[in-house]
Structures are given as structure tokens and as C-alpha cells.
Amino acid sequence: MIDHVRPAQLTEWLAATPVGARPLVLDVREPWELQTASVTAEDGFDVAAIPMGELPSRLAELDRDRPTACLCHHGVRSLRVANFLDQQGFDRVANISGGIDAWSHERDAAVPRY
């Protein structure tokens, strides 16, 4: 099952992860988008960037047991990736609804909008 989490709710989602698990925010945007606006790791989660089109060939880089929240520009690509990860047997997957655009509004106004 895929959780749908707004950036403002991410802290709650992270808090519900099993003890000892270090959640991952998986940014599936293109490299030029990462250069324009990006998220940095905070207490409670790490960040990895794998463009959506590269994910099937790079799936082995991800841990199926690690809680993973997917991020894109507005939430459409990340939802597709979250569905893909769920189908691949990932235990706990979330889509960050509203993407990095909502992240800028709800979580960190220093993140540029584009």
C-alpha cells in the first residue's frame, strides 16, 4: 500500500517508521531539476536522487526494507515510482503529494520554485 503524504505531514510519517530504520526521500526528478531546487537530508531521513527513467536499471541501489518516500515536481512522477516500488515488494512506500513545489510552501520556503 502506498501512503500519500504532504510535505507538512512528512515528519509524522517519518516518526511512524520502525525503530532503527532510516527512511529515504527518493527524488526522481531530472538532474537539471535538482540543480534548480533540491531537498537536503534532515534529522530523520536521507535523500537519494535517481531519475524516474533510470530507476528500473538502478533498483538494486535501493533497500526494499527501508521506508521510502518518493518526491518529484508536483507528485505525478513520484506516484508512478511509488506504485512501481510497491509492485517490486518494497515494504513501506509513500508519495510526497504536491512534490517539491509543495515542499517549498509547506516545509522549507528556501527551496526555490520552478
Side-chain angles (χ1 to χ4, degrees):
M1 180 161 107
I2 298 166
D3 296 325
H4 295 273
V5 180
R6 296 286 305 177
Q9 302 165 322
L10 187 61
T11 301
E12 295 169 26
W13 187 82
L14 296 169
T17 60
V19 175
R22 179 102 174 138
L24 177 70
V25 169
L26 177 62
D27 195 326
V28 300
R29 295 174 302 133
E30 295 298 317
W32 72 267
E33 292 177 285
L34 295 172
Q35 291 174 350
T36 303
S38 61
V39 171
T40 57
E42 298 176 10
D43 282 344
F45 68 88
D46 295 324
V47 176
I50 301 176
M52 183 175 79
E54 295 179 18
L55 192 60
S57 65
R58 296 178 61 186
L59 191 60
E61 295 176 32
L62 301 174
D63 181 353
R64 284 177 167 78
D65 297 324
R66 188 175 194 186
T68 303
C70 303
L71 176 72
C72 69
H73 189 196
H74 288 290
V76 177
R77 284 176 285 176
S78 56
L79 179 57
R80 290 180 63 193
V81 168
N83 281 318
F84 174 75
L85 295 179
D86 184 56
Q87 292 170 354
Q88 299 303 310
F90 280 67
D91 288 338
R92 187 152 187 250
V93 180
N95 177 48
I96 301 177
S97 301
I100 198 158
D101 190 64
W103 191 287
S104 178
H105 284 292
E106 299 175 15
R107 194 169 178 95
D108 184 358
V111 173
R113 295 184 65 217
Y114 64 100

